[in-house]
Amino acid sequence: MSQIYDLIVHNINLATLSEKYIQDDNPYGIVENAAICVKDGKIENIIANVEQQSGELETEDAIDGQGYWMSPGLIDCHTHLVYGGNRANEFEMRLEGASYEEIAKAGGGIVSTVKATRETSKKELFDLAAKRLSYLIDEGVTSIEIKSGYGLDLETERKMLKVAKDLNEFSPVEVSKTFLGAHAVPTEFKDRAEEYIDLVCEEMMPQLHSEGLIDCVDAFCEGIGFSLEQTQKVFEKAKSLDLPVKLHAEQLSDLGGSRMACDYNAWSVDHLEFLNPDDVSRLAESGTVATLLPGAFYFLSETKLPPIDELRKQNVPIAIATDSNPGSSPCLSLLLMMNMATTLFKLTPLEALKGTTINAAKALNIDSKVGSIEIGKQADLAIWDIGAPAELSYRIGGNPCKGVIKNGEVILSKF
Ligand SMILES: [Zn+2]
C-alpha cells in the first residue's frame, strides 16, 4: 500500500467537517481510528477502524498519529498581516481614555500605520509578515487571506500585495490577496475622499489587477471609513473588472454596507456587530459568508453583539478570523479567536471550528479544494494533541498542534 501513496497517517481520529460524514449524531463528521492516505498532494483514501488492516499500513512513509486528532488545516480568512511599525502607543492612549474614533480623527489609527508601511522596504515587510505568519502556522493554519490597505498610494499598495504574493510563493501556506485601497483616506487627500476613491477605481485597481496582484476587492464602509456611495463606486469598478468583492461592514454603526455588498454577491461581509437582523436574509440569499472578528470586538472593548441567532436561523455560514492588524486586533492566534468566538459571541465549539475551516474556505471561495477532510480535496491537515474537537475552542493559551500538512507535505512536526 505504501507504494501507491506518498504519505499515510494512521492511528488518528478525524474531525472531517465533511458533509460526507456529518450526521445528526455525528455533527463533526468524526471518523475514529482512521488512516488517511495522500497522493500527489490530495487525499486519496480515508479508511475507518484500521486495526483489521494495520499490517498493510505499517510502512516507512507512514506517520503513527498516536491516537491524536486531525482537523482540516485552519484558514484565517481576514488578516492585515503586512504592515510596518506597530501601535502599542495608541493602545496606551486608548487606555488613558481616548476612543478609537478620536484617535482616528487625531490623525492616528490607520494613517499612522500607512506612514510606517510606506517607509518600510519590501524585504523588511516580507520578513515582518513571515514572522507573524509563522505563529499562525504553528497553530495549524494552512491558508490565509492578506489585505493591502496601509499603502493608500499605488506604489505602496503594490508593495504590500507583492509581499502577499511572495508569501504565497515562499511560505508553506496559500495566500489569497485582497486589494483594500479603500481602507482610509490618506492625509494627502484630506477632505477629498471622492478624489481618492477615483484614484482607487481609475488607477490603482485596474493597474494592480493587470499585474495579477488582486484576488478580491475589499473596502471599509464606516463613518470613519467610506460612505455607502463611495463603497458602491469601488464595487462597481471591481464588477467591471470581473473581480469579486468583500466588505468591512457594520463594525461601529449600521450604514447598510452588508445589504449593498450582497447585491454584488460578496464572498463575505466582515465584523457585523451592528448588522440589522432584518438584513440577514440578504446574506442567506446571496450566499455571502458572515465573517466574525472577535479579536477586534475584544480589543476595542465593544459590547454590541452580532446577530448570531438570526445568522444561525437563516443558515448563513459563519467564519471566524483573526483580523490580525496593528490597530484593533494585534492577534496572531486563530485558536484564541475560536475561544473568543465561543466565550464572547456564544458560538458552539463546532461552529467555531467550522468558522476556521470549511466556512472560512467559503469566505475565500476555495471550499471546493480545502476546508474539510474528504477524498479528492487537498491534503491540508492539522494534527492536535487533544481528547475531543471541542478542546480547540475550550483552551485559552497552550498550543496542542502536533503537526501541519500542506498539500501532502509535512510543514511542521512536533512528533
Ligand atoms: Zn479588517
Side-chain angles (χ1 to χ4, degrees):
M1 189 172 265
S2 65
Q3 310 308 317
I4 57 171
Y5 298 120
D6 299 327
L7 177 73
I8 297 169
V9 184
H10 63 98
N11 192 16
I12 192 102
N13 302 302
L14 311 178
T16 66
L17 302 173
S18 162
E19 294 299 333
K20 294 193 169 75
Y21 300 96
I22 288 173
Q23 291 181 347
D24 285 348
D25 62 350
N26 183 11
Y28 285 91
I30 288 170
V31 181
E32 285 182 337
N33 193 17
I36 182 162
C37 309
V38 175
K39 174 84 176 163
D40 296 332
K42 289 191 170 160
I43 299 166
E44 184 105 342
N45 202 359
I46 295 170
I47 307 166
N49 300 312
V50 175
E51 291 99 329
Q52 303 91 336
Q53 338 178 18
S54 58
E56 293 178 63
L57 295 172
E58 279 171 12
T59 67
E60 268 179 39
D61 10 349
I63 295 173
D64 180 353
Q66 300 175 30
Y68 292 137
W69 282 80
M70 178 183 277
S71 74
L74 302 189
I75 299 167
D76 195 351
C77 65
H78 180 139
T79 87
H80 309 250
L81 207 68
V82 178
Y83 57 86
N86 73 57
R87 305 229 293 267
N89 58 333
E90 288 172 22
F91 175 62
E92 201 162 20
M93 264 178 75
R94 191 155 54 78
L95 286 168
E96 287 165 354
S99 72
Y100 188 56
E101 279 173 293
E102 281 166 348
I103 290 168
K105 281 184 178 150
I110 289 169
V111 170
S112 69
T113 298
V114 171
K115 187 169 182 292
T117 304
R118 286 177 177 176
E119 288 165 359
T120 305
S121 73
K122 177 166 167 276
K123 185 186 177 313
E124 203 179 331
L125 284 176
F126 177 89
D127 291 344
L128 288 166
K131 187 156 82 175
R132 294 174 195 131
L133 182 55
S134 71
Y135 291 106
L136 295 168
I137 295 169
D138 282 348
E139 288 190 351
V141 169
T142 51
S143 296
I144 184 174
E145 183 253 19
I146 296 178
K147 303 172 194 296
S148 69
Y150 294 127
L152 311 182
D153 60 31
L154 177 61
E155 187 193 341
T156 317
E157 289 290 299
R158 178 191 281 127
K159 182 169 68 175
M160 291 184 73
L161 290 167
K162 279 189 167 172
V163 170
K165 191 180 179 196
D166 285 353
L167 286 168
N168 184 60
E169 199 172 332
F170 300 110
S171 85
V173 305
E174 263 168 284
V175 179
S176 177
K177 308 178 294 297
T178 300
F179 172 57
L180 180 57
H183 194 192
V185 179
T187 48
E188 62 271 24
F189 280 85
K190 192 170 186 306
D191 300 324
R192 294 188 295 136
E194 287 296 335
E195 277 176 57
Y196 177 65
I197 285 293
D198 287 344
L199 181 75
V200 166
C201 293
E202 299 314 319
E203 190 180 331
M204 292 158 88
M205 197 194 307
Q207 180 59 37
L208 296 170
H209 176 47
S210 75
E211 295 173 29
L213 292 170
I214 304 180
D215 297 317
C216 191
V217 172
D218 193 355
F220 184 36
C221 185
E222 191 56 67
I224 57 167
F226 294 94
S227 69
L228 195 63
E229 292 70 26
Q230 289 162 342
T231 304
Q232 189 159 14
K233 220 171 184 178
V234 173
F235 281 10
E236 275 299 315
K237 187 66 191 183
K239 191 178 171 187
S240 76
L241 295 171
D242 232 1
L243 284 166
V245 298
K246 62 177 73 173
L247 189 63
H248 286 72
E250 276 73 71
Q251 180 187 8
L252 307 168
S253 60
D254 180 12
L255 293 188
S258 296
R259 232 176 15 245
M260 193 270 289
C262 289
D263 291 340
Y264 292 82
N265 296 310
W267 281 357
S268 68
V269 285
D270 302 30
H271 285 295
L272 306 182
E273 282 84 346
F274 283 78
L275 176 64
N276 186 329
D278 293 342
D279 288 343
V280 170
S281 61
R282 302 289 292 272
L283 273 69
E285 285 158 20
S286 61
T288 299
V289 174
T291 298
L292 306 184
L293 306 168
F297 176 90
Y298 164 80
F299 199 72
L300 298 177
S301 303
E302 297 291 335
T303 51
K304 186 163 166 47
L305 293 169
I308 305 285
D309 285 344
E310 201 57 35
L311 291 167
R312 264 190 199 126
K313 214 184 287 173
Q314 306 223 25
N315 286 318
V316 173
I318 299 172
I320 306 294
T322 61
D323 191 15
S324 188
N325 78 76
S328 61
S329 187
C331 171
L332 295 169
S333 171
L334 199 49
L335 290 178
L336 180 59
M337 295 303 96
M338 290 168 67
N339 174 266
M340 287 186 182
T342 56
T343 54
L344 300 177
F345 293 165
K346 307 300 175 201
L347 262 60
T348 65
L350 173 62
E351 287 171 327
L353 185 56
K354 282 186 168 175
T356 53
T357 55
I358 187 64
N359 289 346
K362 285 179 184 164
L364 299 179
N365 200 32
I366 52 176
D367 53 305
S368 63
K369 57 174 191 167
V370 295
S372 59
I373 300 178
E374 57 189 75
I375 291 169
K377 279 200 171 179
Q378 259 174 231
D380 287 15
L381 307 160
I383 299 171
W384 308 100
D385 179 7
I386 52 175
E391 256 186 67
L392 293 174
S393 298
Y394 162 76
R395 291 181 190 232
I396 305 170
N399 178 7
C401 188
K402 296 294 290 186
V404 184
I405 296 168
K406 174 68 185 174
N407 274 324
E409 301 284 331
V410 177
I411 61 169
L412 181 123
S413 175
K414 292 183 187 167
F415 278 89

